[in-house]
Amino acid sequence: MTGPTEDGREARPAPATSVPFAADRLLDEAVAALVAHGVPSARVDAELLLAWASGTSRGAVQVRALTGGAIAGEHVERFRHAVARRVTREPLQHITGEAHFRALTLAVGPGVFVPRPETEGVVQFGIDALRATAVAEPVAVDLGSGSGAIAIAMDTEVPNAVVYAVERSPEALPWTRRNIEAHGGTVRLVEGDLGDALPELDGTVSVVVSNPPYVPDDMVPVDPEVRDHDPALALYGGPDGLDAVRALTETAWRLLVPGGLVVVEHAEQQGAGVREVLARRGFRSPETHVDLTGRDRTTTATR
């Protein structure tokens, strides 16, 4: 009930406050919905979404759930809306607007490929090679940069390197540019195709790294997050999935100094094919390496 204030004006009712909700019950509710819609890692996704919705960390969410803590009402509504999007199999990273890659937090969304954890190991080969070179300012190139994950990782972890990011997609380029600017703006972004990029750098580059499109055209991914949301330009690599690998191999041969390293990410069934492409061009010692799950993931070779 309200009445007039001391100056005679009618007082407005106090705004209704949202009711807090128990964190453990909220998470259980979300996990049940996610599981029912086939979302993998439902508990992890629920905790990450609640952390995002409440502006805290996943660890803090876990502690709150274990100790009977509550979530503020406005955060509850934001969380439930996010879960409603996730059950449609919209990628988690599109909902939160960010993806974590090594020590980086990158902005992502529709039009750009979401960087995967396995690529963290791929870029390590490039970082190690840059650190090992005797050149004062070694040059590195990321062909098909997308979000900029590989280029920015090399740039931030090897500060003396000069790093170029090459990307041609008009949908991905705004994300590449945004992430480069957010992490110091020192990566040199070039709009172009990985097949003919950077002729002015021929014979001067120490490391070329690429996570190219490598899914064969007729192998449509099963996961809706990939099939319906990752850009086709970043996924499909021709009939055998190696068209982009062949193109980047020619570019890497042209760019690299003698002794320079090329690093290529690929599917686990493609190691032999990638080694053959590299060896045919003249690269020495092509070698395929496994990721943390034991699957063939990366092939390296020396110019």
Side-chain angles (χ1 to χ4, degrees):
M1 183 175 179
T2 60
T5 61
E6 291 183 359
D7 61 5
R9 292 179 299 176
E10 188 68 21
R12 295 181 179 179
T17 57
S18 300
V19 179
F21 203 93
D24 57 346
R25 289 178 56 201
L26 196 61
L27 285 171
D28 289 345
E29 170 190 291
V31 170
L34 295 171
V35 168
H37 288 82
V39 175
S41 306
R43 182 75 186 188
V44 173
D45 281 19
E47 291 172 351
L48 289 171
L49 286 172
L50 185 53
W52 169 79
S54 56
T56 187
S57 68
R58 182 186 172 199
V61 163
Q62 292 171 326
V63 169
R64 201 172 299 183
L66 286 171
T67 59
I71 303 296
E74 63 268 26
H75 296 155
V76 171
E77 293 308 309
R78 190 180 191 211
F79 173 65
R80 284 178 169 159
H81 178 67
V83 172
R85 293 172 62 184
R86 187 70 184 101
V87 299
T88 70
R89 306 300 294 271
E90 182 178 356
L92 171 76
Q93 296 86 351
H94 284 197
I95 298 168
T96 63
E98 62 184 29
H100 299 286
F101 185 83
R102 294 177 71 91
L104 306 171
T105 298
L106 302 168
V108 294
V112 70
F113 186 79
V114 175
R116 308 297 203 259
E118 52 265 31
T119 307
E120 296 186 13
V122 176
V123 72
Q124 187 67 53
F125 290 97
I127 289 169
D128 290 344
L130 287 170
R131 288 173 174 167
T133 183
V135 179
E137 294 186 334
V139 179
V141 174
D142 171 17
L143 293 174
S145 194
S147 67
I150 289 174
I152 298 168
M154 291 192 293
D155 182 67
T156 55
E157 296 186 44
V158 191
N160 63 309
V162 178
V163 181
Y164 290 79
V166 177
E167 178 55 57
R168 71 169 179 168
S169 166
E171 290 75 30
L173 275 165
W175 297 103
T176 324
R177 186 173 293 108
R178 176 178 172 181
N179 285 318
I180 288 172
E181 291 173 354
H183 291 88
T186 51
V187 172
R188 304 179 185 190
L189 177 59
V190 176
E191 182 176 354
D193 188 89
L194 59 77
D196 57 11
L198 300 170
E200 67 276 16
L201 295 183
D202 285 359
T204 67
V205 176
S206 294
V207 175
V208 172
V209 184
S210 183
N211 177 13
Y214 54 72
V215 178
D217 291 345
D218 61 354
M219 291 183 63
V220 178
V222 174
D223 292 341
E225 291 88 346
V226 179
R227 182 188 66 232
D228 300 335
H229 295 279
D230 276 329
L233 191 63
L235 286 179
Y236 298 106
D240 63 355
L242 297 181
D243 282 359
V245 173
R246 296 183 184 94
L248 75 86
T249 293
E250 295 298 323
T251 301
W253 182 263
R254 172 171 53 79
L255 291 174
L256 287 169
V257 298
L261 186 73
V262 60
V263 183
V264 183
E265 179 172 336
H266 51 77
E268 62 177 311
Q269 306 88 352
Q270 295 173 326
V274 174
R275 292 195 302 273
E276 182 182 351
V277 169
L278 292 168
R280 187 182 301 125
R281 186 60 187 88
F283 279 95
R284 294 181 288 113
S285 305
E287 182 179 0
T288 299
H289 314 268
V290 299
D291 61 19
L292 292 177
T293 68
R295 296 180 174 90
D296 285 353
R297 180 63 57 193
T298 311
T299 293
T300 59
T302 304
R303 169 74 159 88

